[in-house]
Amino acid sequence: NAGVMQNPRHLVRRRGQEARLRCSPMKGHSHVYWYRQLPEEGLKFMVYLQKENIIDESGMPKERFSAEFPKEGPSILRIQQVVRGDSAAYFCASSPPGRGPDTQYFGPGTRLTVL
Amino acid sequence: DQQVKQNSPSLSVQEGRISILNCDYTNSMFDYFLWYKKYPAEGPTFLISISSIKDKNEDGRFTVFLNKSAKHLSLHIVPSQPGDSAVYFCAESGSRLTFGEGTQLTVNP
């Protein structure tokens, strides 16, 4: 059973460009969480999604950031008009249906660098 | 407002000795705590957890202690091994995980 997959592993963007980060949950998992880790900090919750639904986006910046988890395909975290402060590691986690956040399995992360 | 805090950014111990990592929290409503271990360039992996109805949970070399009156939990690793060198995060599980800042553990051979 493959683990949580994220791609790309490394992404470089110039200021003003768009960044798209993809997350494929573990097989059978229908819950996806996105976290951001800024340098020298812990992971900060961004958004919790189930298939076709955003359950909790209280950790998402109000502008430029959006997330989706379509019926088919991976979850996407989209950052428009990136700024240098968006440089961070972005981690996705998934959990099976009917289970809480304490059963999350994390992907390897995408390291975004904004030049 | 940092609800879960790990005040020691780093810890260095000798192989074979005990490693003690500490974590403080502010919200007494928290009812489930977890420890994650993270190697460079990898995602966090679950290590051990504890429910607020317990004060201790043990799994092999890893033991987590919870002191509810002090709002403090600690992770004990004994004996420590060089492969334990990693960043350790404590987390509270409510509707989502709330992480501390992490402690870099280095176990010297």
Side-chain angles (χ1 to χ4, degrees):
Chain A
N1 188 8
V4 178
M5 293 190 289
Q6 291 186 248
N7 67 81
R9 293 293 307 275
H10 300 273
L11 182 61
V12 179
R13 285 287 178 266
R14 296 192 180 278
R15 281 180 297 170
Q17 291 184 318
E18 179 179 287
R20 281 186 178 236
L21 289 65
R22 287 176 291 278
C23 169
S24 296
M26 288 180 70
K27 187 176 180 180
H29 286 195
S30 57
H31 300 196
V32 165
Y33 305 79
W34 285 93
Y35 294 84
R36 176 167 67 175
Q37 184 182 23
L38 295 170
E40 309 301 325
E41 294 187 14
L43 283 76
K44 296 287 196 295
F45 168 81
M46 298 182 75
V47 62
Y48 164 34
L49 309 104
Q50 295 179 16
K51 286 283 188 182
E52 301 183 281
N53 284 304
I54 297 175
I55 306 301
D56 180 357
E57 58 181 347
S58 57
M60 286 274 272
K62 293 289 185 283
E63 297 178 350
R64 303 187 297 109
F65 285 72
S66 62
E68 62 176 7
F69 188 17
K71 187 176 180 181
E72 301 291 338
S75 175
I76 307 286
L77 179 67
R78 182 182 178 207
I79 312 172
Q80 295 177 290
Q81 300 175 311
V82 296
V83 301
R84 289 217 174 105
D86 297 332
S87 295
Y90 291 82
F91 292 95
C92 162
S94 72
S95 66
R99 302 294 298 274
D102 53 296
T103 54
Q104 292 180 30
Y105 295 83
F106 283 83
T110 294
R111 275 141 191 87
L112 172 65
T113 302
V114 180
L115 302 177
Chain B
D1 179 26
Q2 186 68 29
Q3 294 187 310
V4 181
K5 281 199 70 66
Q6 295 175 255
N7 290 313
S8 298
S10 63
L11 174 68
S12 183
V13 300
Q14 273 315 111
E15 181 178 5
R17 307 294 287 266
I18 185 171
S19 297
I20 300 176
L21 298 104
N22 295 300
C23 180
D24 297 298
Y25 60 95
T26 56
N27 189 341
S28 58
M29 299 298 289
F30 289 165
D31 58 5
Y32 204 80
F33 300 90
L34 308 92
W35 284 93
Y36 282 82
K37 176 180 180 180
K38 185 182 179 303
Y39 293 116
E42 294 184 12
T45 54
F46 170 76
L47 193 58
I48 192 169
S49 64
I50 187 166
S51 164
S52 62
I53 63 173
K54 295 186 174 181
D55 54 18
K56 176 183 174 181
N57 188 27
E58 189 173 355
D59 184 2
R61 295 185 298 114
F62 302 91
T63 304
V64 56
F65 296 92
L66 176 61
N67 182 335
K68 290 184 284 294
S69 61
K71 296 182 184 175
H72 178 85
L73 65 156
S74 61
L75 174 67
H76 293 210
I77 307 173
V78 56
S80 301
Q81 299 173 354
D84 296 329
S85 298
V87 178
Y88 289 78
F89 293 97
C90 66
E92 172 278 327
S93 174
S95 57
R96 77 275 186 105
L97 292 174
T98 302
F99 286 88
E101 305 93 327
T103 297
Q104 170 70 58
L105 172 66
T106 302
V107 180
N108 301 303

Tab-separated table of all heavy atoms in Angstrom, chain B residues 29-66:
chain	number	residue	atom	x	y	z
B	29	MET	N	-8.800	21.688	27.651
B	29	MET	CA	-9.810	20.885	26.964
B	29	MET	C	-9.176	19.861	26.028
B	29	MET	O	-9.856	18.995	25.490
B	29	MET	CB	-10.756	21.790	26.168
B	29	MET	CG	-11.526	22.771	27.028
B	29	MET	SD	-12.598	21.954	28.215
B	29	MET	CE	-13.843	21.294	27.122
B	30	PHE	N	-7.879	19.998	25.789
B	30	PHE	CA	-7.206	19.032	24.916
B	30	PHE	C	-7.360	17.637	25.516
B	30	PHE	O	-7.163	17.454	26.719
B	30	PHE	CB	-5.719	19.358	24.791
B	30	PHE	CG	-5.416	20.597	23.989
B	30	PHE	CD1	-4.158	21.179	24.059
B	30	PHE	CD2	-6.355	21.173	23.151
B	30	PHE	CE1	-3.842	22.315	23.324
B	30	PHE	CE2	-6.054	22.304	22.408
B	30	PHE	CZ	-4.788	22.877	22.503
B	31	ASP	N	-7.678	16.651	24.689
B	31	ASP	CA	-7.906	15.324	25.261
B	31	ASP	C	-7.083	14.214	24.629
B	31	ASP	O	-7.216	13.058	25.028
B	31	ASP	CB	-9.396	14.972	25.184
B	31	ASP	CG	-9.927	15.013	23.758
B	31	ASP	OD1	-9.129	15.224	22.835
B	31	ASP	OD2	-11.144	14.848	23.586
B	32	TYR	N	-6.239	14.558	23.678
B	32	TYR	CA	-5.444	13.511	23.041
B	32	TYR	C	-4.164	14.152	22.539
B	32	TYR	O	-4.206	15.169	21.857
B	32	TYR	CB	-6.237	12.908	21.874
B	32	TYR	CG	-5.837	11.507	21.505
B	32	TYR	CD1	-6.306	10.428	22.240
B	32	TYR	CD2	-4.996	11.269	20.423
B	32	TYR	CE1	-5.940	9.144	21.912
B	32	TYR	CE2	-4.635	9.996	20.086
B	32	TYR	CZ	-5.109	8.923	20.827
B	32	TYR	OH	-4.747	7.651	20.504
B	33	PHE	N	-3.049	13.537	22.908
B	33	PHE	CA	-1.746	14.089	22.535
B	33	PHE	C	-0.933	13.048	21.781
B	33	PHE	O	-1.042	11.850	22.040
B	33	PHE	CB	-0.985	14.535	23.787
B	33	PHE	CG	-1.705	15.587	24.579
B	33	PHE	CD1	-2.591	15.226	25.580
B	33	PHE	CD2	-1.509	16.934	24.310
B	33	PHE	CE1	-3.280	16.199	26.303
B	33	PHE	CE2	-2.189	17.902	25.024
B	33	PHE	CZ	-3.069	17.535	26.012
B	34	LEU	N	-0.123	13.540	20.874
B	34	LEU	CA	0.682	12.653	20.042
B	34	LEU	C	2.103	13.182	19.953
B	34	LEU	O	2.353	14.378	20.095
B	34	LEU	CB	0.109	12.572	18.617
B	34	LEU	CG	-1.369	12.228	18.458
B	34	LEU	CD1	-2.216	13.492	18.396
B	34	LEU	CD2	-1.582	11.415	17.202
B	35	TRP	N	3.021	12.263	19.703
B	35	TRP	CA	4.396	12.618	19.368
B	35	TRP	C	4.698	12.108	17.969
B	35	TRP	O	4.360	10.970	17.615
B	35	TRP	CB	5.377	12.007	20.354
B	35	TRP	CG	5.424	12.712	21.680
B	35	TRP	CD1	4.711	12.412	22.802
B	35	TRP	CD2	6.235	13.852	22.016
B	35	TRP	NE1	5.017	13.289	23.812
B	35	TRP	CE2	5.953	14.179	23.357
B	35	TRP	CE3	7.177	14.622	21.321
B	35	TRP	CZ2	6.580	15.244	24.014
B	35	TRP	CZ3	7.799	15.675	21.975
B	35	TRP	CH2	7.494	15.974	23.302
B	36	TYR	N	5.327	12.975	17.194
B	36	TYR	CA	5.758	12.627	15.842
B	36	TYR	C	7.276	12.796	15.767
B	36	TYR	O	7.864	13.642	16.428
B	36	TYR	CB	5.107	13.538	14.795
B	36	TYR	CG	3.678	13.205	14.470
B	36	TYR	CD1	2.640	13.638	15.278
B	36	TYR	CD2	3.368	12.449	13.345
B	36	TYR	CE1	1.327	13.327	14.973
B	36	TYR	CE2	2.049	12.145	13.031
B	36	TYR	CZ	1.041	12.587	13.852
B	36	TYR	OH	-0.254	12.282	13.542
B	37	LYS	N	7.847	12.027	14.887
B	37	LYS	CA	9.279	12.063	14.637
B	37	LYS	C	9.484	12.445	13.183
B	37	LYS	O	8.760	11.966	12.296
B	37	LYS	CB	9.847	10.671	14.910
B	37	LYS	CG	11.304	10.449	14.619
B	37	LYS	CD	11.620	8.981	14.986
B	37	LYS	CE	13.059	8.643	14.723
B	37	LYS	NZ	13.334	7.224	15.097
B	38	LYS	N	10.452	13.322	12.933
B	38	LYS	CA	10.650	13.776	11.560
B	38	LYS	C	12.140	13.788	11.213
B	38	LYS	O	12.934	14.452	11.887
B	38	LYS	CB	10.054	15.175	11.382
B	38	LYS	CG	10.114	15.667	9.943
B	38	LYS	CD	9.558	17.061	9.815
B	38	LYS	CE	9.651	17.543	8.366
B	38	LYS	NZ	11.012	17.517	7.839
B	39	TYR	N	12.441	13.068	10.133
B	39	TYR	CA	13.786	13.114	9.570
B	39	TYR	C	13.839	14.190	8.494
B	39	TYR	O	12.792	14.549	7.916
B	39	TYR	CB	14.169	11.771	8.956
B	39	TYR	CG	14.335	10.648	9.953
B	39	TYR	CD1	13.489	9.536	9.939
B	39	TYR	CD2	15.351	10.684	10.908
B	39	TYR	CE1	13.652	8.497	10.835
B	39	TYR	CE2	15.511	9.645	11.813
B	39	TYR	CZ	14.657	8.562	11.778
B	39	TYR	OH	14.820	7.535	12.668
B	40	PRO	N	15.027	14.708	8.197
B	40	PRO	CA	15.142	15.718	7.139
B	40	PRO	C	14.580	15.223	5.816
B	40	PRO	O	14.730	14.049	5.473
B	40	PRO	CB	16.663	15.948	7.043
B	40	PRO	CG	17.199	15.551	8.370
B	40	PRO	CD	16.332	14.434	8.840
B	41	ALA	N	13.912	16.088	5.109
B	41	ALA	CA	13.361	15.802	3.776
B	41	ALA	C	12.285	14.710	3.799
B	41	ALA	O	11.993	14.118	2.759
B	41	ALA	CB	14.462	15.440	2.783
B	42	GLU	N	11.733	14.437	4.965
B	42	GLU	CA	10.626	13.490	5.047
B	42	GLU	C	9.479	14.123	5.818
B	42	GLU	O	9.649	15.112	6.531
B	42	GLU	CB	11.056	12.206	5.761
B	42	GLU	CG	12.097	11.406	5.006
B	42	GLU	CD	12.412	10.087	5.710
B	42	GLU	OE1	11.663	9.708	6.632
B	42	GLU	OE2	13.410	9.464	5.342
B	43	GLY	N	8.289	13.526	5.682
B	43	GLY	CA	7.176	13.983	6.490
B	43	GLY	C	7.229	13.404	7.895
B	43	GLY	O	7.953	12.440	8.144
B	44	PRO	N	6.480	13.986	8.830
B	44	PRO	CA	6.439	13.445	10.186
B	44	PRO	C	5.844	12.036	10.191
B	44	PRO	O	4.948	11.730	9.402
B	44	PRO	CB	5.521	14.418	10.925
B	44	PRO	CG	5.455	15.640	10.091
B	44	PRO	CD	5.636	15.183	8.681
B	45	THR	N	6.340	11.201	11.077
B	45	THR	CA	5.760	9.878	11.256
B	45	THR	C	5.302	9.742	12.703
B	45	THR	O	5.993	10.167	13.634
B	45	THR	CB	6.752	8.755	10.925
B	45	THR	OG1	7.936	8.947	11.683
B	45	THR	CG2	7.090	8.742	9.458
B	46	PHE	N	4.148	9.151	12.875
B	46	PHE	CA	3.564	8.972	14.202
B	46	PHE	C	4.447	8.063	15.051
B	46	PHE	O	4.953	7.033	14.594
B	46	PHE	CB	2.163	8.376	14.076
B	46	PHE	CG	1.574	7.942	15.388
B	46	PHE	CD1	1.076	8.872	16.271
B	46	PHE	CD2	1.529	6.602	15.723
B	46	PHE	CE1	0.538	8.472	17.480
B	46	PHE	CE2	0.990	6.194	16.921
B	46	PHE	CZ	0.489	7.127	17.803
B	47	LEU	N	4.608	8.452	16.327
B	47	LEU	CA	5.461	7.689	17.229
B	47	LEU	C	4.648	7.052	18.353
B	47	LEU	O	4.631	5.842	18.522
B	47	LEU	CB	6.530	8.622	17.802
B	47	LEU	CG	7.707	8.037	18.535
B	47	LEU	CD1	8.466	7.071	17.645
B	47	LEU	CD2	8.635	9.161	19.003
B	48	ILE	N	3.961	7.865	19.109
B	48	ILE	CA	3.226	7.376	20.265
B	48	ILE	C	2.198	8.427	20.658
B	48	ILE	O	2.368	9.612	20.359
B	48	ILE	CB	4.180	7.067	21.440
B	48	ILE	CG1	3.477	6.294	22.554
B	48	ILE	CG2	4.831	8.349	21.967
B	48	ILE	CD1	4.446	5.732	23.602
B	49	SER	N	1.121	7.994	21.307
B	49	SER	CA	0.082	8.925	21.707
B	49	SER	C	-0.370	8.632	23.131
B	49	SER	O	-0.018	7.585	23.711
B	49	SER	CB	-1.116	8.834	20.751
B	49	SER	OG	-1.707	7.544	20.827
B	50	ILE	N	-1.156	9.561	23.678
B	50	ILE	CA	-1.707	9.350	25.004
B	50	ILE	C	-3.046	10.080	25.110
B	50	ILE	O	-3.187	11.216	24.639
B	50	ILE	CB	-0.725	9.809	26.111
B	50	ILE	CG1	-1.250	9.408	27.489
B	50	ILE	CG2	-0.478	11.319	26.055
B	50	ILE	CD1	-0.207	9.513	28.597
B	51	SER	N	-3.997	9.416	25.708
B	51	SER	CA	-5.294	10.024	25.973
B	51	SER	C	-5.239	10.740	27.313
B	51	SER	O	-4.488	10.351	28.212
B	51	SER	CB	-6.373	8.941	26.009
B	51	SER	OG	-7.558	9.417	26.605
B	52	SER	N	-6.061	11.758	27.463
B	52	SER	CA	-6.037	12.546	28.702
B	52	SER	C	-6.558	11.768	29.904
B	52	SER	O	-6.421	12.206	31.041
B	52	SER	CB	-6.846	13.830	28.535
B	52	SER	OG	-8.197	13.525	28.261
B	53	ILE	N	-7.154	10.603	29.673
B	53	ILE	CA	-7.623	9.806	30.803
B	53	ILE	C	-6.489	8.960	31.389
B	53	ILE	O	-6.663	8.308	32.410
B	53	ILE	CB	-8.814	8.900	30.408
B	53	ILE	CG1	-8.399	7.884	29.337
B	53	ILE	CG2	-9.978	9.747	29.932
B	53	ILE	CD1	-9.478	6.859	29.041
B	54	LYS	N	-5.346	8.990	30.728
B	54	LYS	CA	-4.183	8.254	31.218
B	54	LYS	C	-3.085	9.221	31.631
B	54	LYS	O	-3.094	10.392	31.256
B	54	LYS	CB	-3.645	7.326	30.116
B	54	LYS	CG	-4.586	6.215	29.712
B	54	LYS	CD	-3.897	5.282	28.736
B	54	LYS	CE	-4.773	4.079	28.432
B	54	LYS	NZ	-4.094	3.145	27.500
B	55	ASP	N	-2.131	8.729	32.392
B	55	ASP	CA	-0.974	9.563	32.699
B	55	ASP	C	0.330	8.970	32.161
B	55	ASP	O	1.394	9.572	32.292
B	55	ASP	CB	-0.862	9.836	34.202
B	55	ASP	CG	-0.870	8.564	35.016
B	55	ASP	OD1	-0.613	7.483	34.448
B	55	ASP	OD2	-1.137	8.636	36.232
B	56	LYS	N	0.212	7.800	31.540
B	56	LYS	CA	1.414	7.159	31.009
B	56	LYS	C	1.018	6.195	29.897
B	56	LYS	O	0.001	5.513	29.987
B	56	LYS	CB	2.139	6.409	32.132
B	56	LYS	CG	3.360	5.619	31.708
B	56	LYS	CD	3.941	4.868	32.908
B	56	LYS	CE	5.082	3.961	32.499
B	56	LYS	NZ	5.629	3.214	33.672
B	57	ASN	N	1.848	6.172	28.842
B	57	ASN	CA	1.680	5.171	27.796
B	57	ASN	C	3.065	4.752	27.321
B	57	ASN	O	3.937	5.592	27.104
B	57	ASN	CB	0.875	5.728	26.619
B	57	ASN	CG	0.512	4.655	25.609
B	57	ASN	OD1	0.404	3.487	25.962
B	57	ASN	ND2	0.322	5.042	24.365
B	58	GLU	N	3.253	3.457	27.197
B	58	GLU	CA	4.577	2.924	26.899
B	58	GLU	C	4.532	2.060	25.657
B	58	GLU	O	3.595	1.280	25.450
B	58	GLU	CB	5.050	2.092	28.107
B	58	GLU	CG	6.480	1.646	28.065
B	58	GLU	CD	6.905	0.991	29.371
B	58	GLU	OE1	6.097	0.985	30.329
B	58	GLU	OE2	8.023	0.476	29.442
B	59	ASP	N	5.561	2.201	24.821
B	59	ASP	CA	5.681	1.382	23.615
B	59	ASP	C	7.156	1.147	23.364
B	59	ASP	O	7.852	1.976	22.776
B	59	ASP	CB	5.030	2.090	22.428
B	59	ASP	CG	5.051	1.234	21.171
B	59	ASP	OD1	5.537	0.083	21.222
B	59	ASP	OD2	4.597	1.721	20.117
B	60	GLY	N	7.634	-0.009	23.832
B	60	GLY	CA	9.043	-0.328	23.640
B	60	GLY	C	9.930	0.654	24.378
B	60	GLY	O	9.795	0.868	25.583
B	61	ARG	N	10.830	1.286	23.627
B	61	ARG	CA	11.769	2.225	24.252
B	61	ARG	C	11.134	3.594	24.512
B	61	ARG	O	11.784	4.465	25.106
B	61	ARG	CB	12.986	2.399	23.340
B	61	ARG	CG	13.816	1.144	23.150
B	61	ARG	CD	15.087	1.416	22.341
B	61	ARG	NE	14.799	1.878	20.986
B	61	ARG	CZ	15.089	3.093	20.538
B	61	ARG	NH1	15.700	3.977	21.325
B	61	ARG	NH2	14.793	3.435	19.292
B	62	PHE	N	9.927	3.793	24.056
B	62	PHE	CA	9.283	5.103	24.127
B	62	PHE	C	8.166	5.112	25.170
B	62	PHE	O	7.310	4.222	25.184
B	62	PHE	CB	8.701	5.481	22.758
B	62	PHE	CG	9.730	5.500	21.654
B	62	PHE	CD1	9.983	4.366	20.899
B	62	PHE	CD2	10.456	6.643	21.397
B	62	PHE	CE1	10.944	4.374	19.888
B	62	PHE	CE2	11.417	6.671	20.390
B	62	PHE	CZ	11.660	5.527	19.650
B	63	THR	N	8.187	6.107	26.034
B	63	THR	CA	7.147	6.286	27.039
B	63	THR	C	6.735	7.746	27.044
B	63	THR	O	7.599	8.635	27.062
B	63	THR	CB	7.635	5.895	28.442
B	63	THR	OG1	8.109	4.538	28.420
B	63	THR	CG2	6.513	6.016	29.461
B	64	VAL	N	5.438	7.976	27.038
B	64	VAL	CA	4.939	9.351	27.141
B	64	VAL	C	4.229	9.485	28.482
B	64	VAL	O	3.467	8.607	28.893
B	64	VAL	CB	4.023	9.717	25.959
B	64	VAL	CG1	2.865	8.758	25.826
B	64	VAL	CG2	3.520	11.141	26.089
B	65	PHE	N	4.531	10.585	29.171
B	65	PHE	CA	3.927	10.907	30.449
B	65	PHE	C	3.088	12.168	30.309
B	65	PHE	O	3.504	13.126	29.648
B	65	PHE	CB	5.006	11.150	31.517
B	65	PHE	CG	5.830	9.943	31.831
B	65	PHE	CD1	7.017	9.701	31.151
B	65	PHE	CD2	5.426	9.043	32.815
B	65	PHE	CE1	7.797	8.586	31.450
B	65	PHE	CE2	6.193	7.931	33.121
B	65	PHE	CZ	7.383	7.694	32.433
B	66	LEU	N	1.925	12.155	30.940
B	66	LEU	CA	1.043	13.317	30.890
B	66	LEU	C	0.742	13.794	32.304
B	66	LEU	O	0.270	13.007	33.138
B	66	LEU	CB	-0.262	12.965	30.166
B	66	LEU	CG	-1.333	14.054	30.100
B	66	LEU	CD1	-0.817	15.282	29.357
B	66	LEU	CD2	-2.606	13.519	29.449
